[in-house]
């Protein structure tokens, strides 16, 4: 890992237990997460750089969670661990110890969309829905993870990896603006994926592109299909 980096696990630290509803990666217990952040020496004044080795998906999830907790000094490492190694920068197996501090959360509920918000968006067009999954999954042609294929009715498909260049770096803000040019900046946007992880890179990209009213549907597709009465769309419609 990068020297002095600390480890947060998607399943154990950045997600809560799977239940009937809430999706495959529901929100973690925030009291526990705040305690873990404090133990990692992170308070509201600490600059945090998140990285992973999976094109930024896990790092963006961590970025979103800290933003939801009111932490504004958090960033995602462009290119992640892969580009760090390719550049010849140092790596280590040493696990550092840090001095604990007290993280004080200031929750930002406007960053979160509930399943009720999404239902309203479907029924009354109160928000633009963005599906961040691969196109085959969006169209319902294949579904390798969840038990039902398709997408939330009315959602636009914008694959999260299109946030990145072919070289694996994040596209510039001007390029992100072009990606989302069909969506007016004053619109309310709700972003989802399969389980609320790979939607986060699109949330970050929208932020870089200058969109300010963007919410994450954490439960995402895996939560939507847990309600048998919810409508499901396939194909281009």
């Amino acid at each position: 890992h990068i020297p002095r980096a600390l480890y947060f696990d998607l399943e154990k630290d950045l997600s809560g237990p799977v239940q009937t509803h809430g999706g495959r990666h529901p929100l973690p217990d925030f009291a526990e997460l705040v305690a873990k952040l404090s133990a990692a020496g992170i308070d509201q004044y600490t600059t945090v750089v998140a990285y992973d080795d999976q094109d930024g998906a896990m790092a963006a999830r961590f970025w979103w969670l800290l933003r939801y907790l009111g932490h504004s000094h958090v960033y995602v490492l462009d290119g992640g661990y892969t580009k760090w190694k390719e550049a010849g920068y140092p790596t280590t197996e040493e696990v550092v110890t840090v001095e604990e501090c007290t993280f004080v959360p200031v929750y930002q509920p406007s960053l979160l969309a509930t399943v009720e918000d999404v239902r309203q968006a479907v029924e009354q067009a109160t928000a633009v829905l963005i599906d961040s999954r691969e196109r085959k999954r969006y169209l319902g042609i294949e579904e390798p993870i969840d038990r039902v294929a398709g997408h939330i009715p009315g959602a636009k498909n914008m694959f999260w990896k299109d946030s990145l260049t072919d070289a694996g770096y994040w596209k510039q803000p001007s390029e992100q603006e072009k990606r989302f040019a069909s969506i007016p900046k004053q619109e309310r946007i709700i972003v989802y994926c399969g389980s609320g992880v790979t939607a986060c890179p699109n949330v970050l990209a929208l932020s870089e592109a200058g969109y300010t009213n963007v919410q994450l549907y954490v439960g995402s597709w895996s939560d939507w299909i847990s309600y048998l009465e919810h409508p499901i769309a396939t194909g281009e419609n």
Side-chain angles (χ1 to χ4, degrees):
H1 58 265
I2 296 174
R4 297 196 59 78
L6 301 170
Y7 183 66
F8 280 75
D9 184 88
L10 172 64
E11 307 291 344
K12 297 177 182 177
D13 304 316
L14 309 184
S15 306
V18 176
Q19 301 179 20
T20 303
H21 301 299
R24 287 184 279 108
H25 290 109
L27 289 174
D29 179 291
F30 280 113
E32 292 182 7
L33 179 57
V34 165
K36 291 174 181 178
L37 291 170
S38 299
I42 299 171
D43 62 18
Q44 57 267 43
Y45 307 108
T46 308
T47 297
V48 178
V49 179
Y51 75 88
D52 59 31
D53 202 15
Q54 299 186 54
D55 296 312
M58 313 302 168
R61 168 82 170 206
F62 189 70
W63 168 87
W64 184 88
L65 284 168
L66 262 67
R67 293 288 296 271
Y68 181 76
L69 291 173
H71 189 89
S72 57
H73 307 294
V74 57
Y75 305 88
V76 171
L77 178 63
D78 195 11
Y81 190 58
T82 297
K83 298 303 178 184
W84 178 273
K85 290 187 296 182
E86 288 179 1
Y89 295 137
T91 62
T92 184
E93 295 180 2
E94 180 185 2
V95 178
V96 297
T97 56
V98 296
E99 183 177 347
E100 292 192 20
C101 61
T102 300
F103 186 98
V104 180
V106 181
Y107 293 95
Q108 305 296 315
S110 64
L111 300 182
L112 176 66
T114 66
V115 67
E116 289 79 13
D117 292 326
V118 179
R119 289 190 191 116
Q120 191 175 47
V122 171
E123 296 168 1
Q124 303 176 28
T126 52
V128 175
L129 296 174
I130 292 180
D131 186 313
S132 305
R133 298 170 301 161
E134 289 183 271
R135 190 148 188 83
K136 286 185 177 180
R137 293 182 68 189
Y138 168 83
L139 294 173
I141 295 172
E142 65 178 39
E143 181 46 67
I145 303 174
D146 293 305
R147 61 177 181 80
V148 178
H151 61 269
I152 299 174
K156 298 174 177 287
N157 182 220
M158 294 184 167
F159 185 34
W160 71 274
K161 284 194 175 182
D162 289 339
S163 299
L164 308 173
T165 66
D166 292 340
Y169 292 101
W170 290 83
K171 291 179 178 177
Q172 293 298 310
S174 60
E175 295 175 282
Q176 304 290 9
E177 279 194 277
K178 291 178 182 178
R179 284 184 63 214
F180 302 112
S182 64
I183 305 173
K185 287 194 174 178
Q186 69 270 21
E187 291 280 4
R188 176 191 180 194
I189 301 172
I190 298 175
V191 188
Y192 76 91
C193 57
S195 67
V197 178
T198 57
C200 293
N202 263 345
V203 175
L204 191 156
L206 283 159
S207 175
E208 288 289 285
Y211 290 82
T212 57
N213 192 4
V214 181
Q215 297 177 305
L216 173 67
Y217 175 24
V218 174
S220 285
W221 180 246
S222 54
D223 176 59
W224 183 259
I225 61 173
S226 71
Y227 297 88
L228 299 181
E229 71 275 16
H230 279 173
I232 293 169
T234 56
E236 298 289 351
N237 295 324

